[in-house]
């Protein structure tokens, strides 16, 4: 029987509200800087929620020709820019003779919402003849993976996982299994999202999901804090380059971490709310540990989904307690969304980048804005300052609408 191959992380890239590359984003994360501010992408004066984690000063022309820029929605621009940086960081180029051994899996939650808004307006105001022939290719969610594949020349598996806010984590998890099983030797994977638009913001506002702390945007995203009042929308991309250990060693790559487990589950409960017993979240984390054959007592760090909504933070805390028991108090938990907002389908990609960096550098990032403890959320959320810690394992959690749950377990690489 064919043995599973070991899978390692050899490249990192990010475009986030706190930095247009992974290093700037990481530095600002540890400096407790917030990327959340007033929305400037459109006139939101009539909206209840007027704040977001926007990617600012982003120039896609640095990563692709101007002609291509015009033929991509914002989420694709983030993905292609991040993939360009990823390959440079990993010192990796797809070998044309073995192009089918490198694949792409980029998770996207909503796709080209900017494109839909623009072309629907053209349809209503000027008729069907004004809708661009590029309308469909611009908006479909799998175009991020497609454009990355074209840019890189990668002819292996080309996929898009669309599982709401778990999209990026699912993408990394299933890219890991593609390498494990020998379907590919390397995978560009993670998430991308660009939905800070009138329709996106109004939709989440109507669902009563967003914080309306407009006068204090930097303090609005406050995971696990008693005074949390909803999440803050974010945008961007986070990507990893995964490779088989054999290939990474053969080419002398720097190895940042090892991927050792994927856990997935469904709540089978409600469109948007988790069950109060947190059973789905529990199963996803448990399944990741079981696959890796890791005991709960060995987990040092959890990068939490931590959205800053009442039910998510409460249920995630319950799931951690249910799985880890007394050990839960000893785990250092981080909620990156306190600084970036919620990147939706890109969240798991960005947070995986930060999870890997936490392992590599031995630093737990903070959860900022943790000011008023919630008696029901009483674990160690690494409040308001980073902390040095010798981390052996980091669990990255993502949970999405539709009751979909994903967790990827990363391990410090030790040869």
């Amino acid at each position: 029987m064919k043995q599973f191959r070991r899978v390692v992380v050899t490249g990192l890239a990010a475009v986030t509200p706190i930095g247009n590359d992974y290093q700037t984003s990481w530095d600002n994360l540890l400096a407790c800087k917030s990327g959340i501010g007033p929305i400037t992408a459109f006139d939101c004066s009539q909206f209840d929620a007027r704040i977001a984690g926007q990617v600012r000063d982003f120039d896609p022309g640095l990563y692709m020709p101007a002609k291509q820029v015009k033929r991509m929605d914002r989420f694709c621009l983030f993905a292609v820019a991040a993939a360009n940086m990823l390959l440079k960081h990993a010192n990796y180029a797809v070998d044309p003779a073995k192009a089918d051994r490198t694949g792409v899996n980029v998770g996207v939650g909503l796709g080209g919402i900017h494109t839909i808004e623009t072309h629907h307006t053209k349809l209503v105001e000027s008729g069907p003849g004004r809708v661009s022939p590029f309308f469909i290719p611009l908006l479909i969610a799998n175009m991020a993976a497609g454009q990355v594949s074209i840019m890189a020349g990668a002819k292996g598996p080309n996929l898009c996982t669309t599982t709401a806010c778990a999209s990026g984590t699912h993408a990394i998890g299933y890219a890991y299994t593609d390498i494990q099983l020998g379907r590919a030797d390397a995978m560009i994977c993670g998430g991308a999202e660009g939905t800070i638009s009138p329709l996106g913001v109004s939709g989440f506002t109507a669902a009563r999901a967003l914080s309306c702390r407009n006068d204090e945007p930097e303090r609005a995203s406050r995971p696990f804090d008693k005074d949390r009042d909803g999440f803050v929308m974010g945008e961007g991309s986070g990507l990893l380059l995964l490779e088989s250990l054999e290939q990474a060693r053969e080419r002398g790559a720097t190895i940042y971490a090892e991927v050792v487990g994927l856990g997935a589950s469904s709540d089978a409960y409600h469109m948007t709310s988790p069950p109060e017993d947190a059973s789905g979240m529990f199963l996803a984390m448990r399944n990741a540990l079981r696959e890796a054959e890791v005991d709960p007592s060995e987990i040092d760090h959890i990068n939490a989904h931590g959205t800053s909504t009442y039910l998510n933070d409460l249920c995630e805390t319950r799931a951690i307690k249910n799985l880890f028991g007394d050990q839960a108090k000893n785990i250092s938990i981080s909620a990156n969304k306190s600084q970036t907002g919620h990147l939706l389908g890109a969240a798991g990609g960005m947070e995986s980048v930060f999870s890997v960096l936490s392992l590599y550098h031995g630093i737990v990032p903070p959860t900022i804005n943790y000011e008023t403890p919630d008696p029901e959320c009483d674990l160690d959320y690494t409040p308001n300052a980073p902390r040095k810690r010798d981390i052996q394992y980091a669990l990255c959690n993502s949970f999405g609408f539709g009751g979909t749950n994903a967790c990827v377990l990363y391990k410090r690489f030790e040869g």
Side-chain angles (χ1 to χ4, degrees), residues 52-91:
Q54 293 180 200
V55 172
R56 302 179 191 275
D57 303 318
F58 172 67
D59 182 3
L62 296 173
Y63 309 101
M64 64 201 86
K67 186 177 181 180
Q68 284 183 276
V69 172
K70 293 178 181 178
R71 294 181 177 177
M72 292 188 205
D73 193 273
R74 190 164 174 83
F75 77 102
C76 278
L77 295 174
F78 290 145
V80 173
N84 186 294
M85 290 186 277
L86 179 75
L87 297 178
K88 288 181 179 178
H89 179 245
N91 192 28

Side-chain angles (χ1 to χ4, degrees), residues 162-205:
T162 298
T163 52
C165 304
S167 299
T169 301
H170 274 129
I172 293 168
Y174 289 107
Y176 148 71
T177 62
D178 273 343
I179 298 172
Q180 251 195 339
L181 296 171
R183 299 183 186 123
D185 296 322
M187 292 290 292
I188 299 164
C189 57
E193 199 80 270
T195 58
I196 299 174
S197 72
L199 192 57
V201 175
S202 61
F204 279 114
T205 302

